[in-house]
Amino acid sequence: MTTYDYDLFVIGGGSGGVRSARVAASLGKRVGIAEEYRYGGTCVIRGCVPKKLFVYASQFPEHFEDAAGYGWTVGQSSFDWKKLIAAKDKEIERLEGLYRKGLENAKADIFDSRAELVDAHTVKLVKSGQTVTAERIVIAVGGTPNPHVSLPGYELTISSNEAFHLEELPKSILIAGGGYIAVEFANIFHGLGVDTTLIYRGKEILSRFDNDMRHGLHEAMVAKGIKILLTDVIASVKKADGGGLEAETRHNGTLNVDTVMLALGRDPNTQGLGLENAGVALNDKGAIIVDDYSRTNVPSIFALGDVTDRVQLTPVAIHEAMCFIETEFKNNPTKPDHHLIATAVFSQPEIGTVGISEEEAAAKYEEIEIYRAQFRPMKATLSGRTEKTIMKLIVNAADRKVVGAHILGHEAGEMAQLLGITLKAGCTKDDFDATMAVHPTAAEELVTMYSPSYRIRNGQRV
Ligand code: NDP
């Protein structure tokens, strides 16, 4: 029988990699894990976690303004970017430490090195040149911001990676893209006082979301003072004579800004990984092709998270890792379930969503009912802030199942998490109606929208 150095070797110390390594090691397996940058991966080091800390930081100016309506006089306020970065870095360091500790406690071997495949069972640790063998190898190396190299002057732009470590807070920024990252960072920078412009190629931001959410957020962002340029792209970027950058757009002339940030999607991190040495197949986007059990075409090699072309979300990578453990180490074949994933955009206001949009439901079902509420949140009554919350339930008329729930407003992400349970459980609109409201909350609207706002039959609003 062939003997390997490890039962499992994991390449990549992000959410999916660390989870699979830690749990396998805690089951008594001999596990090694390699990470070339920092343990915690994109989510912890330069994604979800620091982003959310930035979101909190960017909300304070509105809180200070709102306080006046409640009788408070807030003195002169000022903001120190470097202080925020230092505080954020300290917290990220703490979390990174916890990730390492979890691996250490489970007795996994931790390598601070890039790792590349030599063959189907062998990994080379680039720093030391050492090779190790493993019965199973998991590739969980994540993704990286699409650098958009076809854009003249792309090298002058930043991505979300750099946004977390800018030396100075820019006075003005142009952000390209209309997805999660572009929208979230536009709100962050605006909240921190940066003159912010978003440029997006489509007709409306957040192309894969419910139209009501897209329009509602767009209006709210513009009302705050964020400029949004639609059906336009950056044609080139160059250094301006007097400092800063000159971004030439296709239809809106030349914009002079301090910083240009690209948020045009993320590419799988598969280059130079030695995948060809083991014969691992990739799709046309460079993502590792996997089956329902996260198996690649090479029986000993598995892939999890953003390096595969599934859903680029941290909880999804963790779920895929847990399914891998069940299947491979607990003799309990378990497929990751990618249906009905609740998600949030940490824009201001937030979007929280689970299930399908009105547009998708209208195309899928013969008749749907739309329950829609739009109202001013209670806090805005005394603060005087003009803002609105939108809540929407999409119901398949045939079986009364709620197939989509969408919220634009404060704490929409928190609400989406709980709505995720109800949709996953297959709750009907009648279950929502039978649920007692929690009063006074915004969420109570979700259980008190008794009659449909409108119906859509065979694609037509009736
Ligand atoms: P997204 O896929 O969300 O958005 C990419 C945007 O870039 C889209 O608006 C897309 O347009 C546009 N785009 C792509 N290529 C081009 C191009 N060549 N020229 C002009 N525009 C282009 O990716 P992000 O980078 O924002 O985020 C990556 C992933 O990370 C997300 O998909 C998400 O899964 C995850 N994420 C999740 C967060 C959360 O859960 N809150 C936060 C941040 C990221 P179009 O829509 O027209 O294709």
Side-chain angles (χ1 to χ4, degrees):
M1 205 179 93
T2 323
T3 51
Y4 299 103
D5 299 327
Y6 291 104
D7 298 316
L8 172 68
F9 197 91
V10 178
I11 307 181
S15 302
V18 168
R19 180 60 65 98
S20 41
R22 181 170 61 74
V23 180
S26 69
L27 292 173
K29 302 293 169 194
R30 295 167 306 147
V31 177
I33 179 168
E35 163 60 49
E36 65 179 334
Y37 183 52
R38 293 177 66 181
Y39 280 87
T42 301
C43 174
V44 174
I45 306 296
R46 45 191 177 187
C48 326
V49 175
K51 178 274 307 290
K52 188 103 189 252
L53 296 174
F54 277 15
V55 170
Y56 287 132
S58 69
Q59 286 171 336
F60 282 99
E62 286 198 356
H63 294 331
F64 298 150
E65 281 172 25
D66 289 353
Y70 286 86
W72 289 92
T73 302
V74 179
Q76 185 87 28
S77 65
S78 64
F79 172 66
D80 187 333
W81 170 252
K82 287 199 161 77
K83 230 174 170 170
L84 171 66
I85 298 287
K88 179 264 298 176
D89 285 346
K90 200 168 161 208
E91 173 58 8
I92 299 310
E93 219 175 289
R94 186 183 73 83
L95 293 173
E96 186 184 2
L98 290 180
Y99 269 66
R100 278 179 179 276
K101 194 113 208 105
L103 288 165
E104 276 165 21
N105 290 347
K107 306 217 171 343
D109 287 347
I110 303 173
F111 297 94
D112 290 296
S113 167
R114 181 172 173 80
E116 293 170 4
L117 285 177
V118 176
D119 61 38
H121 289 282
T122 312
V123 171
K124 178 178 168 190
L125 296 160
V126 174
K127 214 183 212 174
S128 62
Q130 177 193 357
T131 55
V132 292
T133 59
E135 186 176 3
R136 291 178 182 78
I137 295 170
V138 159
I139 301 171
V141 293
T144 184
N146 164 8
H148 202 28
V149 292
S150 59
L151 172 73
Y154 80 94
E155 68 284 353
L156 301 170
T157 68
I158 63 162
S159 70
S160 55
N161 284 354
E162 291 75 40
F164 290 114
H165 289 109
L166 291 174
E167 276 297 312
E168 303 285 339
L169 183 66
K171 289 203 168 44
S172 56
I173 191 163
L174 173 64
I175 303 178
Y180 282 85
I181 296 178
V183 163
E184 290 180 343
F185 270 94
N187 282 279
I188 288 168
F189 280 118
H190 170 77
L192 295 177
V194 180
D195 180 4
T196 303
T197 306
L198 184 88
I199 184 165
Y200 170 54
R201 66 179 172 184
K203 289 199 180 114
E204 186 54 283
I205 55 173
L206 293 173
S207 59
R208 287 174 290 281
F209 287 75
D210 183 274
N211 269 334
D212 250 337
M213 303 293 115
R214 302 168 68 192
H215 298 318
L217 179 61
H218 181 147
E219 276 174 25
M221 286 170 66
V222 170
K224 284 177 198 283
I226 300 170
K227 287 163 277 210
I228 300 182
L229 308 175
L230 295 176
T231 60
D232 201 1
V233 292
I234 302 173
S236 67
V237 179
K238 61 179 187 191
K239 283 193 176 153
D241 289 341
L245 299 172
E246 235 177 67
E248 197 192 319
T249 67
R250 283 264 146 75
H251 307 298
N252 283 282
T254 301
L255 306 177
N256 286 289
V257 288
D258 285 346
T259 303
V260 175
M261 173 171 162
L262 304 183
L264 305 174
R266 295 175 59 84
D267 300 331
N269 239 338
T270 45
Q271 286 197 358
L273 209 57
L275 294 168
E276 62 290 347
N277 299 334
V280 176
L282 304 180
N283 71 8
D284 56 356
K285 296 178 196 153
I288 297 178
I289 300 172
V290 288
D291 69 4
D292 285 349
Y293 294 93
S294 302
R295 288 187 288 235
T296 70
N297 60 316
V298 179
S300 57
I301 302 182
F302 301 76
L304 307 169
D306 288 5
V307 76
T308 65
D309 190 13
R310 293 183 279 187
V311 185
Q312 295 180 344
L313 294 171
T314 300
V316 173
I318 292 172
H319 173 68
E320 288 165 0
M322 294 309 283
C323 292
F324 160 76
I325 294 287
E326 283 294 318
T327 307
E328 295 300 317
F329 295 125
K330 291 189 174 180
N331 198 22
N332 174 29
T334 309
K335 293 179 189 177
D337 175 4
H338 295 103
H339 185 51
L340 287 173
I341 298 168
T343 172
V345 183
F346 292 99
S347 45
Q348 299 169 39
E350 282 176 18
I351 291 178
T353 174
V354 57
I356 55 179
S357 65
E358 175 181 330
E359 298 70 37
E360 285 169 297
K364 185 168 177 186
Y365 299 109
E366 194 177 322
E367 182 173 332
I368 56 171
E369 295 172 354
I370 309 295
Y371 297 80
R372 185 184 188 280
Q374 181 171 322
F375 55 94
R376 193 179 188 198
M378 193 173 178
K379 190 177 168 200
T381 54
L382 296 201
S383 70
R385 186 168 295 284
T386 326
E387 58 179 330
K388 63 185 178 196
T389 294
I390 302 175
M391 293 191 175
K392 236 176 131 171
L393 294 178
I394 323 271
V395 175
N396 176 13
D399 60 8
R400 312 275 305 137
K401 285 242 167 92
V402 179
V403 294
H406 310 281
I407 302 168
L408 174 77
H410 296 289
E411 311 296 350
E414 303 288 341
M415 288 185 251
Q417 179 65 84
L418 303 180
L419 283 167
I421 304 171
T422 63
L423 266 70
K424 204 74 193 155
C427 288
T428 63
K429 182 62 173 60
D430 307 319
D431 296 318
F432 277 66
D433 293 348
T435 303
M436 202 71 82
V438 179
H439 184 72
T441 62
E444 69 184 299
E445 288 294 328
L446 293 166
V447 295
T448 53
M449 295 190 280
Y450 297 115
S451 1
S453 310
Y454 53 95
R455 289 166 194 277
I456 299 180
R457 199 173 293 139
N458 299 320
Q460 300 295 321
R461 187 163 164 161
V462 289

